[in-house]
Structures are given as C-alpha cells and as structure tokens.
C-alpha cells in the first residue's frame, strides 16, 4: 500500500525520519507531505506513532488531470470498492495548486460523481445510501497531477487528547514536538519553557524522552475500515506500550506568570502521563535561573497579537535578551513570527529555521552559545 503523511511546512525532515524508523520506504517528499510504502498494519502504526504528522492517508492512485474529463476518468478507474462498502459515506474535499483545474468546488463535484459512478456500477445501485462508515476522500492536484486518497486519521493527529482546554494562543502539539526535538532533549539536561501556556512544549519533550507514542490513547477513523483489521490496531498499541521508558530521569520545567495557564498545564501533563517529569510552576519568565544545572530553554513567547500589543512584545524580547544572558552556557530556542527578534533580543542567532504555526509563518531562533563566549 502507498500512504501519504502530511505535516506543517518545515517538519518534513523530522516526519521522514519517523517514517524511516517505522521501517517504511519513503517514495517522495514535497512541502508539507511525505509519501511512503507500507503494508496494511502501517495505517495503525503510523497514526499511533508519528509525532510530527497532521494526517495519514492511504493513496488510491495518481494520474494526470489537466481537464475535468481526465479527472473524472482517472478517478472512476480507481478501485474504490476495495475500501468503500455499498452503504458507506464518501464526502470529498481537496486542494489544487499550480494546476489548470483551480476550482476546488468543481473538482469536488467531479470526484464525487466519478466515485459514485464506480461504486454504483460495482454494487448494482442507482442511488448510494451513504448511511454507513464515513470514508473521507481527499484529492490533491499539483501541476495537473492528481492524487486521490482516503483519510485514515479522522481527527487531526496534532490533537493528542491530553489538553482538556487551551489558553488564548495555543501552540499546535506537532509544532511543539518539533521545537522540543530540534533542541535535542537529553536525560541530563533540563528542558525549560518559561512561557509555557498549556505546557505543550515541555509535555511533548517529556513524551519524546519517555517514548510515549502520541496516538496511543486516541481513536482513528480507519479503525472503522474493515480493510485495516482490528488486530493491527491492537498490536500497534501493544508495541507502543512496550516501548515506553519507565526509568527516565528526564526533567522539564513549565512556568508561566498566568495562574490559569499553570492550572491547565498541570492538568495537561497529568493527562499525558508525564506529570512526574514535568514540573509546572507560576513564575515570571525573566526570573529563571540555572540552579547550577545544565539546561535548555525552548519557548514560544507572546507574539504581540492576541496576548499583548506589538510594543509590549518588543519590550519583552529586549528583556528576555538581558535575562537569558544570565543563564551561562544554556542553549536558547525561541519560536516567534517576529522578523526583528534578533535585533530586539540583542544577539544574532546561530541558526534560524522557518516553520509554521498553523498558517502563521514563524522563525525558530537557535542560540547555541552564550553571548559572552
């Protein structure tokens, strides 16, 4: 089987490495998606284990689609009956980029009609009831090349299920996981997020160190698909449970000046099963100290949009530069959409990655050395 996993822009390398670790063969990588090969058990293993993916699709096929006729014929030629039963629902959505067929609603209608034609002929029906299991069909047309897929995830994979509620400007779990991963968390190095919000960065860092699969405790759409047997999901969860590290000494600190954020972060850490490794406390971010320990700051400070004014955010960034300079040899990682962050912070970053928080373009500033070194 061929699968496609989607991700936020900038996370393709991390996602590809995860897919390799599952033992799957990568076929192609483009912005925001990695296509790979696997067996029927791969749907369960990918959904449960992929930390940086947004969704996992099973591919039905690809073909050139420069016209609506080509899109209809190509879609109708695919073996939809291998997945979708005579009573099942099959809504359609998708994207068209740099293609002659640019109208998404029109493409939706064509794909829907073609699938209905195929299934109607196979099942001998003139009207399909669509009262059974939902199979979300997605098309992706890039440069007149169409890929037709079925979503196996259902609820997006960044929704792990451990955040009972969120703060005003929540950071997507997949991006928080990437921020933690880029900082290379280690057993003997404290990970600290002084603007923790819901505590997501610290929680995701702890889950990585404890090897807790992000989807181990949630449901996926493809668990209702007969083609992916129930045993594959049970086995994948058992395998994931066996990999959890029980004796880790890893420690993360999540702090915030807002007591409501502290409460939410504590509850999220408990629900994620990492409360023993994530200490949540109320503290001004500018007051953190090393306590003579090795450490790394990984944080997503207020943007100056929903949480404070732009001028207030800029002043905060200046204060951060002064306060974090006291942390000695600690490495600092800051995720923000502010393009002038380095000037405000008072240091040039050793490396900058371009990432996206949803649709918001951000920069991940990485400071490997102290200013005085």
């Amino acid at each position: 089987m061929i699968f496609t996993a989607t991700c936020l822009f900038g996370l393709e390398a991390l996602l590809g490495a995860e897919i390799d670790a599952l033992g799957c063969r990568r076929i192609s990588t483009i912005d925001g998606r990695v296509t790979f090969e696997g067996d029927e058990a791969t749907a369960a293993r990918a959904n449960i284990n992929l930390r940086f993916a947004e969704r996992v699709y099973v591919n039905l096929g690809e073909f050139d689609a420069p016209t609506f006729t080509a899109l209809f014929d190509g879609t109708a030629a695919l073996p939809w009956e291998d997945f979708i039963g005579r009573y099942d629902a099959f809504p359609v959505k998708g994207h068209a980029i740099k293609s002659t067929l640019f109208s998404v609603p029109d493409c939706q209608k064509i794909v829907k009609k073609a699938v209905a034609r195929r299934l109607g002929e196979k099942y001998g029906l003139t009207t399909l009831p669509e009262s059974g299991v939902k199979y979300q069909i997605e098309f992706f047309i890039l440069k007149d090349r169409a890929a037709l897929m079925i979503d196996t995830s259902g609820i997006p994979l960044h929704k792990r299920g451990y955040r009972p509620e969120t703060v005003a400007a929540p950071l997507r779990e997949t991006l928080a996981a990437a921020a933690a991963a880029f900082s290379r968390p280690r057993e003997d190095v404290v990970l600290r997020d002084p603007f923790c919000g819901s505590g997501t960065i610290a929680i995701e860092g702890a889950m990585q160190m404890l090897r807790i699969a992000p989807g181990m405790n949630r449901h996926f759409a493809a668990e209702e698909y007969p083609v992916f047997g129930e045993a594959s999901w049970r086995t994948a969860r058992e395998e994931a449970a066996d990999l959890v590290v029980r004796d880790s000494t890893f420690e993360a600190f999540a702090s915030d000046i807002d007591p409501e954020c502290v409460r939410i972060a504590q509850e999220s850490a408990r629900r994620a099963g990492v409360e023993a490794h994530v200490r949540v406390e109320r503290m001004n971010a500018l007051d953190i100290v090393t306590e003579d320990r090795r450490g790394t700051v990984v944080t997503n400070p207020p943007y100056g949009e929903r949480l404070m004014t732009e001028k207030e955010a800029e002043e905060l960034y200046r204060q951060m530069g002064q306060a974090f300079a006291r942390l000695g040899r600690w490495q600092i990682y800051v995720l923000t959409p502010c393009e002038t962050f380095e000037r405000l912070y008072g240091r040039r970053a050793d490396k900058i990655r371009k990432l996206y928080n949803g649709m918001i373009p951000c920069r991940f500033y990485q400071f490997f050395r102290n200013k005085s070194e």
Side-chain angles (χ1 to χ4, degrees):
M1 286 185 173
I2 305 300
F3 297 87
T4 292
T6 58
C7 65
L8 296 173
F9 292 159
L11 306 191
E12 296 86 359
L14 289 174
L15 176 56
E18 284 192 303
I19 290 169
D20 292 344
L22 288 179
C24 300
R25 183 180 70 86
R26 271 191 274 176
I27 298 173
S28 66
T29 301
I30 62 175
D31 288 348
R33 58 187 61 217
V34 180
T35 299
F36 58 101
E37 189 174 17
D39 57 20
E40 291 180 1
T42 298
R45 297 178 64 232
N47 276 293
I48 289 170
N49 290 285
L50 292 182
R51 216 172 285 279
F52 308 108
E54 294 298 317
R55 290 183 184 275
V56 176
Y57 299 91
V58 59
N59 294 30
L60 269 290
E62 294 188 15
F63 51 87
D64 293 329
T67 66
F68 286 126
T69 298
L71 179 61
F72 182 94
D73 292 343
T75 301
L78 299 177
W80 298 102
E81 67 278 3
D82 289 351
F83 291 85
I84 304 172
R86 64 189 297 122
Y87 300 107
D88 296 334
F90 50 99
V92 177
K93 61 182 180 180
H95 301 83
I97 301 172
K98 299 179 181 178
S99 297
T100 305
L101 303 181
F102 59 86
S103 172
V104 170
D106 287 338
C107 291
Q108 285 177 293
K109 293 176 184 176
I110 293 295
V111 171
K112 179 75 174 184
K113 185 177 180 180
V115 176
R117 171 79 64 83
R118 171 87 183 202
L119 294 176
E121 291 176 350
K122 292 295 180 179
Y123 296 130
L125 298 172
T126 55
T127 301
L128 295 164
E130 295 199 57
S131 58
V133 173
K134 175 184 172 182
Y135 288 78
Q136 179 65 61
I137 295 173
E138 178 142 346
F139 62 85
F140 180 63
I141 307 175
L142 175 64
K143 297 179 181 178
D144 293 338
R145 183 76 177 171
L148 274 295
M149 305 169 288
I150 294 174
D151 179 22
T152 68
S153 300
I155 297 172
L157 297 181
H158 72 261
K159 296 187 177 182
R160 322 288 205 207
Y162 63 71
R163 293 203 303 203
E165 51 190 308
T166 58
V167 294
L171 184 66
R172 190 172 293 193
E173 292 90 329
T174 42
L175 183 56
F182 284 135
S183 75
R184 297 176 293 113
R186 285 145 286 172
E187 285 283 332
D188 58 342
V189 178
V190 173
L191 185 154
R192 180 142 211 166
D193 180 4
F195 298 97
C196 75
S198 299
T200 316
I201 290 176
I203 290 169
E204 290 291 333
M207 289 178 68
Q208 290 174 38
M209 292 302 296
L210 300 178
R211 300 187 70 179
I212 297 175
M216 195 160 60
N217 297 312
R218 53 156 287 183
H219 179 79
F220 305 95
E223 291 187 65
E224 305 297 324
Y225 304 169
V227 70
F228 302 117
E230 179 183 343
S232 67
W233 298 92
R234 183 172 59 253
T235 299
R237 287 191 171 93
E238 291 172 353
E239 291 174 348
D242 289 341
L243 291 175
V244 175
V245 177
R246 309 293 179 182
D247 58 352
S248 173
T249 60
F250 175 77
E251 195 172 12
F253 288 77
S255 58
D256 204 286
I257 200 168
D258 185 341
E260 182 64 5
C261 288
V262 172
R263 183 190 67 79
I264 293 174
Q266 288 174 331
E267 176 61 13
S268 296
R270 184 191 67 78
R271 290 167 60 102
V274 296
E275 69 272 25
H277 299 269
V278 177
R279 192 172 93 187
V280 184
E281 56 191 356
R282 186 182 182 190
M283 178 183 291
N284 188 315
L286 306 178
D287 294 337
I288 65 172
V289 293
T290 66
E291 298 179 343
D292 296 323
R293 301 181 65 179
R294 294 179 63 199
T296 301
V297 171
V298 187
T299 194
N300 172 223
Y303 288 177
E305 293 179 0
R306 283 180 283 179
L307 298 180
M308 57 173 57
T309 67
E310 184 175 339
K311 287 187 177 180
E312 289 172 334
E314 290 178 348
E315 178 56 29
L316 174 63
Y317 296 162
R318 293 188 183 94
Q319 295 174 354
M320 284 170 56
Q322 298 169 7
F324 290 177
R326 300 194 298 266
L327 298 179
R329 298 178 65 86
W330 280 34
Q331 295 183 348
I332 311 295
Y333 298 81
V334 180
L335 179 70
T336 174
C338 180
E339 297 181 10
T340 60
F341 178 79
E342 290 172 296
R343 177 176 59 80
L344 296 166
Y345 188 73
R347 287 178 59 186
R348 183 179 294 278
D350 296 296
K351 186 172 183 178
I352 303 174
R353 294 179 183 270
K354 190 171 183 179
L355 302 173
Y356 281 78
N357 186 12
M359 297 304 295
I360 302 173
C362 296
R363 286 168 174 77
F364 191 53
Y365 296 94
Q366 303 172 70
F367 302 91
F368 303 139
R369 296 178 295 276
N370 186 276
K371 184 177 180 181
S372 62
E373 292 185 274

